[in-house]
Amino acid sequence: TGPMSSECLGDFLRITLNAEYFEDKYLSLFVVDQSGTAWELDEAMAAQCGYTVTYTTCRSIQLRASALSCHSHLEKDVFTVTIQIKASHTPDMSNATTHLKSASCHYGPWSPREIICENNYMEVSVRREVPQTIKDFVQDEPEDWTFVFPEAKAEEASIWQIVFHQPEEKRALLVSNAWSAGYGLNATDSRVLLRVPYTAAQVQLVEVGELLLAPQAARLCRSNQIPSLQDQGITFSVLRSSTFYKYQWVILMVDTAVACPADGVDYTNKTITWTVPKYIPPLFAGMTSFKDVLVEAGVDLHKLSAKEMAARKYVLLNELTAITMKIPIGAEGGYYKTSVSNGQLGVKYTINLFLEHQWEDNKWGLTKHTIIKEIETPFEQAEVAITNNLNLSAGLMNVTVGTFLPDAELVNLTIEGVVVAVPEAVQHGYLIHRTRYANGSRAYVLQVPLDAPSIKIEYMGEDMRAYTLNVTLTFITYPSSETFVVPIIALSAVKDAVLPSATGFCDGRNLHLIITHGNVDQNWLPFISDWHLTQEAAQKYNYILRDNGTHLAISVPFLSPHVSYEGFHTSAIKASFYLTLKDDITLAQRRDFSVSCLFSPSDLIQCLPNGTVIITAIKLVGGEDLDTALLVLRDRQCKPSLVTERTATFKFNVNTCGTSRKFNSTTVTYENEVLYFRPGDDIPIYQLKFLCLYAVEQTADVQYESKNPPPSIQPGSGCLALSLKLFKEKSYSEPYQESEYPVVKYLREALYFEVELLQPKDARLDLNLDDCWITNSQSQDSLPQWHILIHGCENNKDSYRTVFHKVNYSPRVKFPQHVKRFEVRMFTFVQGTSLWQE
């Protein structure tokens, strides 16, 4: 069919641009005059010159031209219109292609007065009549208007001026000024034409009923020639004017009043009702008689017969005072178009009706009044159908959106907050297909891989996962350029969940749990009961927490606050560690794991060589109400030195806290119990017995070997104050008090000595130990003796050599060079193979 097609419709020519040919192109429209000059068509020029541009539901552009449009070429009973279209793929119209279309139409005989009410202008043309007496006048001199009306000389057309009749005044404009104000005026050999945009300054909005209050209208009503319209109340756009034109030496005047209905449309019961009064006062000025001649109606300037109207369920009523058309909403001949209200998608039904009313009167003879009325129903919200079809074998979500009317088009998508144009969507994994149906509507199909980053995957329970597509589509409507969005949340349930699994084991001091990740727990969080196990939290308790992406490994010590103890026997303790994986958003419990192992009870007790016992009592499963702070030893005054929610640690000497002793030939056995009593009850509900065994006899072989030469010291004299102390531990934090002597030690048990220079407090002095020896009595000269330091060095003959410990500055030690610390292993004197007896 080519890029353009034309159709003759009475006094109009319609040219339609092919939507598919000009799709996705920027267009400029021009009209070409008889000299070949192209004039770009805009809204103002269209209303002034008799052109109307509309858009159809198929996104085609239609241009309607009046037979008396500015650039029409009239010849006999044919008018010709030529238009030019420039099309480009860019807004700046670069590299535009030009298309020319010329079409001619026949027009019928003119009525004395013809009025057209178009969508964007009003037009009146009247017969140009000259009285016979003027025609018979013989002019004996050339026309010269200069001396009479100099301003008329400048007017090239025969129309001289137009006078507007307004309630407050009359205003006259010369033709050139009227053109500048947006009016269109023209004169042919037989007619005078006035074209008025609805937006012109002199156009008034008047209700018809108010116009019949004039005395003449009242007389017509009393004579029953023209019925009263006072109850109609329909608003009209009205321009009352007189046009003056020149003929030889004579100035003639014609009435160029025009009126077009601005409303009169009602919507009830799914029906459009359009009412047009027959008697429009501005058009009936000076009339005394009236007779209906013809009433016809149709759609898109196509007249419909009574049979065709009945088939479409149209109703046309020609009543005494008005003409009424009733159209079912959605009926054939109209179309739905997309509409947007407050961002909501909706539709409006649109139909382009026209009505032709002809009448005879005693002033004009025959008047033809043609009204073209584009009627649009109120906004009606529309729902968008969204269908999700999962193609599991291909791993695709197929989401169909729509249908949409042809005037709506998808322009972009919002994916995870990023706006993406349709052509770029493929870079995000989106394939978009547009489906067209026979009625012109369309739907869009989105194909998205299940592993696309924008698809959210959630575990639903058991072996099901939910794939959720959350995307927002943005559409634009043509030609109004309104936008609306369609949010899509499409969910597909797939039976493909792989849950995490776990293995557990224990070593001598720790419980280990290794969890193998599945495909649902990437964001699950490890919890111990209601406590979130983070790296920081794990470090606080000396737990080890590692995750390499495929495995989560957790290690906890046997004695830790989050280990449960479920059994206590003389041979073993059952310890268990429980871990829960929870959803990171809802904190719903997803999966439970545990590891249980048997540990030796010896892990709970330390029997130190110095007679100190450290025992840790643990709370068993089932004894949750037990307060570990109330645990005691046999001597109930002995309370724990360290308490946690699950454990209580006691540290005491074997000679205290009610500890009992048993001797045999080789060992001494110390026994005590950790007890828990309910208030006022002497029978314990918790009882943990423990014992420590110590050897009675042990020997130490001592050897001596000289290794280092004695240091060289310059002799001197002075008064020194020294102290020698024995400390309980290597930390040198707690010395033995005088009340604790004599101190009982076992063979090879460490003794921690400290020698300190008390006076003078001179930082220039260094304390160096020369000889140190041990005797069997308090007398330093008694025998036997054993040297533990010789000339400041270890005794090489000693099996367990003396060990020096570094001294650092501390609040207690102000001068580290004044202090020497060393460690000696406990031994006994022997003579031959027997103990030395003093």
Side-chain angles (χ1 to χ4, degrees), residues 261-287:
D263 56 20
V265 180
D266 186 31
Y267 312 96
T268 55
N269 299 325
K270 298 291 183 179
T271 301
I272 299 169
T273 302
W274 179 30
T275 302
V276 179
K278 284 186 177 181
Y279 311 105
I280 307 164
L283 306 182
F284 283 73
M287 292 168 41

Side-chain angles (χ1 to χ4, degrees), residues 196-217:
V196 186
Y198 287 104
T199 56
Q202 280 70 34
V203 173
Q204 303 173 59
L205 293 177
V206 182
E207 286 195 11
V208 168
E210 297 177 358
L211 295 173
L212 286 180
L213 297 178
Q216 182 184 10

Side-chain angles (χ1 to χ4, degrees), residues 655-684:
N655 296 318
T656 61
C657 297
T659 306
S660 60
R661 291 180 292 182
K662 292 182 180 179
F663 294 88
N664 61 25
S665 60
T666 58
T667 62
V668 178
T669 302
Y670 294 90
E671 183 180 293
N672 208 325
E673 294 175 290
V674 179
L675 305 169
Y676 183 82
F677 299 91
R678 293 192 185 278
D681 197 343
D682 289 334
I683 300 176

